[in-house]
Amino acid sequence: MNMVDSAQPFKTLLGPESDSQRTQYPYVTGTSVVGVKYKDGILMASDMGASYGSTLRYKSVERMKPIGKHSLLGASGEISDFQEILHYLDELILYDNMWDDGNSLGPKEVHSYLTRVMYNRRNKFNPFWNSLVLGGVKNGQKYLGTVSMIGVHFEDSHVATGFGNHLARPILREEWNENMSYEDGVKLLEKCMRVLLYRDRSAVNKIQIAKITEEGVTISRPYALKTFWEFNAFKNPTVGAEGSW
Amino acid sequence: MDTDAPHSMGTTIIGVTYNGGVVLGADSRTSTGVYVANRASDKITQLTDNVYVCRSGSAADSQIVSDYVRYFLHQHTIQLGQPATVKVAANLVRLLAYNNKNLLQTGLIVGGWDKYEGGKIYGIPLGGTIIEQPFAIGGSGSSYLYGFFDQAWKEGMTKDEAEQLVVKAVSLAIARDGASGGVVRTVIINSEGVTRNFYPGDKLPLWHEELEPQFSLLDIPSSPGPEPMNI
């Protein structure tokens, strides 16, 4: 009797099937991530929501995670795929550490790795259903990039995923500048997150802001934003036009 | 009636942590289309002595996933030389759920107690996301419970408070979800071991527009009934 055969169930069950054609659909999804460069490094913001279709099902999901010493990854889209990507990156960082050569993967390299992973999966019609934001600082060099589920990738001074592209980036185009302080950056990101909270129905009022500098990564505790509803036009929307809304 | 329709557990499943362990709860209805194939199913399935899983969605898919995980965990326990942790059990379930996401249609709640982390609940919805939560709800009946739990859940409940909450919640879901019904089963897991409880329909509270069951019409005291017919 061949002892190796008893390992087969493990391979075929714990590993993917060999389908010839496959693409998926997302089930549990996170919404926008917004990232900006600032004076000392990168600031990134996201909410802690994960939706299941139209239900706001989970409200304490961390969608930004540190990668190694120099990088921070934020993700929107299918959360199970994000968790799988984090497993892949754990392995990448582990092997990098095992070289024990004093060198460590910087954000540019991690971004490049993620791009290859995302594009290759897309080519096999089995994408990771995510949009990723990768930011970091190494040797004083700030880096901020993004990769989509089909492998589209680029770097910029400010990036966003999903709704953030439509609502946050125009704000950033007007108000971002290279030499923002930490306080300026946080206020700007909060402005973007507030607009997303008003206008993105998958947004949840529990956000985190992450900072990465040469010193390392800090992810803030979760907190909620104040919102403003006291416009006269909101209190009396149908004045002069009864029956409208 | 389509006997060949896939057996699906409409279901309401719940897992709640309390101060010292976890309480898992579920209804007992398995439907084949509109027919109730099993009105007393047991949806809370054992994986190890200290870890159980609540199954929802396709009955076949959830059964086969729990069978494989039980098999893997058995081997893991032998190799490890001590009981498996809840986290390991949940991650094995996640691996199967994630890697076969195109084929499986089952949402699971893994709950148990181990000496390292105490009582833990992990939700594993469609797609294979794994998410540790102080409480989790799942199945079609859970739609009716989001508001209830938002209001009724609190940290640091006692074992009895937690179990009462679970029983109340499943019973509320049964009242409104056609795909949930039957009895309420609970499983309590803590450092002392595992306790299974059974709450048949007549032990559950009555909700809006529900009436106290009686044996027969003839039990209604003293109201003037219809005149008997004269031949």
Side-chain angles (χ1 to χ4, degrees), chain A residues 10 13-17 22 24 27-28 52 55 57-58 61 78-81 83-84 87 128, chain B residues 68 72 75 94-96 98-103 125-131 133 137-138 146:
Chain A
F10 289 69
L13 288 164
L14 293 179
E17 295 245 334
R22 184 189 12 205
Q24 319 148 8
Y27 291 102
V28 177
Y52 187 75
T55 305
R57 188 152 179 193
Y58 304 106
V61 181
E78 169 67 45
I79 300 296
S80 64
D81 285 343
Q83 292 178 338
E84 189 75 355
H87 274 296
F128 280 129
Chain B
Y68 275 121
F72 294 144
Q75 304 204 339
R94 175 206 105 90
L95 276 175
L96 283 172
Y98 180 75
N99 288 315
N100 297 291
K101 64 161 79 187
N102 295 327
L103 306 165
L126 256 46
T129 310
I130 182 170
I131 180 145
Q133 301 170 269
I137 56 177
Y146 284 97

Side-chain angles (χ1 to χ4, degrees), chain A residues 44-57:
Chain A
M44 205 186 287
S46 76
D47 70 16
M48 298 190 79
S51 304
Y52 187 75
S54 56
T55 305
L56 304 176
R57 188 152 179 193

